[in-house]
Amino acid sequence: MPMPKRSRAAAALLGLLALAGCQSAQLSADGVRPPTPSSIVMAPQQVTLGYPVARALSELVVDYDTGRTLYEVDADGVRYPASLTKMMTLYLLFDAVDGGRVSLDDTMLVSENAARQSPSKLGLRAGSRVRVSDLAHGIATKSANDAAMVVAENLGGSVDGFAKMMMAKARSLKMTRSNFVNPNGLPDPRQMTTARDMATLARALRANHPRFTSFYAQPAYAYEGKRYRSTNHLLGTVPGVDGMKTGYIRDSGFNLVASAQRGGRRVIVVVIGGATGRARDAEVTRLIDTYLGPAEPQSIASLTQ
């Protein structure tokens, strides 16, 4: 029986609406326009989580040893990770080193794609080869997008291949509300996480790769005669802070995952969506002081010597 004209028109309209709903959100010049929920598809499970809330505050403090939550503000709200993503890239690189697949003295090839990544970057040249240890330091200290892409393409064979590795690791670590599609956190509406997932990743990174903690604990690092200050400005200025990673894109706000230890106790502090870098740093410092107690005077004095 033929469909009435009115029904055919309605069906066509619904088809167009469905097609429109499946289109990916377009990137703005310096951020991400929030996509529709239907455009966020998690891989490899194909689970839809909705979309991240732009520039919204999310905070979490956990005890490092037990994982117990000490404080939280919307810790399970979906957010843009920005360069917090690079903690997962480092995790997989350290997996490869510990597994004997590569060594810190090996070199990796820089592709044209890696060389043209947006700043922050080391300015790696296409066709050159860079030592794994320099790439790791560049990622951890400078938050170099080009270095992260070199690691991804060499370990995963492609960005997509590395993203699958990131997702597999995230699921094995029980990071249930994260999705990774690139290794550096540059704007993509599908790249998402939560403060709780980032705390889970930070604890696992320290616990499972303890011999690499120095990579993200250094206040500065030199590469090819140029000295780069860590993007984590709490290193060397706030007693007890010994890592881990900052992040920023327009739609994430200012993010920071910090590891701190005082008096034999360690916490992981996550702040996502800071209004400014200074406000974010002040809030992380406040939370460290609150849950570890004020720094000893001798600790403060040692930072100024």
Side-chain angles (χ1 to χ4, degrees):
M1 182 175 181
M3 183 182 294
K5 290 184 178 179
R6 182 175 298 176
S7 298
R8 289 199 300 271
L13 177 60
L14 288 173
L16 289 172
L17 290 173
L19 179 61
C22 292
Q23 299 301 309
S24 299
Q26 297 297 310
L27 299 186
S28 64
D30 50 0
V32 180
R33 294 175 190 150
T36 59
S38 61
S39 71
I40 298 297
V41 181
M42 299 288 288
Q45 287 86 353
Q46 302 297 305
V47 176
T48 300
L49 285 181
Y51 56 86
V53 179
R55 299 186 72 87
L57 185 66
S58 182
E59 301 182 342
L60 182 65
V61 182
V62 300
D63 182 273
Y64 171 76
D65 291 323
T66 66
R68 183 168 67 92
T69 296
L70 305 177
Y71 171 84
E72 62 180 296
V73 174
D74 200 11
D76 296 304
V78 181
R79 304 288 189 264
Y80 296 102
S83 284
L84 300 185
T85 298
K86 295 185 179 83
M87 289 196 299
M88 178 60 81
T89 300
L90 285 171
Y91 194 110
L92 292 175
L93 178 59
F94 296 153
D95 267 356
V97 175
D98 279 343
R101 297 191 296 279
V102 297
S103 78
L104 292 176
D105 291 326
D106 286 343
T107 61
M108 290 184 172
L109 180 65
V110 180
S111 71
E112 290 185 3
N113 176 53
R116 65 171 175 258
Q117 294 297 297
S118 301
S120 173
K121 60 196 295 185
L122 291 175
L124 303 178
R125 298 179 300 277
S128 66
R129 301 192 69 89
V130 183
R131 284 201 321 159
V132 169
S133 60
D134 287 323
L135 293 168
H137 279 295
I139 294 168
T141 304
K142 172 64 174 170
S143 194
N145 294 321
D146 50 359
M149 186 59 69
V150 172
V151 169
E153 292 177 338
N154 280 266
L155 289 185
S158 65
V159 176
D160 289 344
F162 192 73
K164 290 178 181 177
M165 294 170 61
M166 298 172 83
M167 289 303 299
K169 182 60 66 176
R171 294 300 173 250
S172 74
L173 295 175
K174 305 296 192 268
M175 296 170 62
T176 59
R177 296 179 67 80
S178 293
N179 192 53
F180 299 108
V181 296
N182 67 52
N184 46 30
L186 284 171
D188 190 300
R190 300 165 296 168
Q191 193 102 339
M192 64 185 75
T193 194
T194 66
R196 198 176 308 279
D197 276 2
M198 285 293 104
T200 297
L201 176 58
R203 290 182 67 225
L205 185 56
R206 286 195 65 92
N208 297 336
H209 295 295
R211 72 186 181 105
F212 299 112
T213 55
S214 63
F215 280 86
Y216 42 81
Q218 293 184 344
Y221 179 70
Y223 175 69
E224 290 195 338
K226 190 171 182 178
R227 189 173 184 269
Y228 298 99
R229 183 187 176 191
S230 174
T231 58
N232 182 359
H233 296 166
L234 301 190
L235 290 170
T237 62
V238 176
V241 173
D242 53 9
M244 301 187 54
K245 192 70 194 71
T246 62
Y248 173 80
I249 58 172
R250 178 179 176 179
D251 286 308
S252 72
F254 291 84
N255 304 343
L256 175 59
V257 175
S259 169
Q261 184 175 28
R262 292 177 187 169
R265 186 184 183 197
R266 180 180 298 281
V267 294
I268 301 294
V269 178
V270 183
V271 171
I272 295 176
T276 65
R278 181 171 295 182
R280 170 203 64 193
D281 292 349
E283 178 65 357
V284 171
T285 301
R286 182 189 74 82
L287 292 171
I288 291 170
D289 289 343
T290 299
Y291 291 95
L292 288 183
E296 296 293 332
Q298 59 266 31
S299 298
I300 298 174
S302 67
L303 294 177
T304 61
Q305 293 176 353

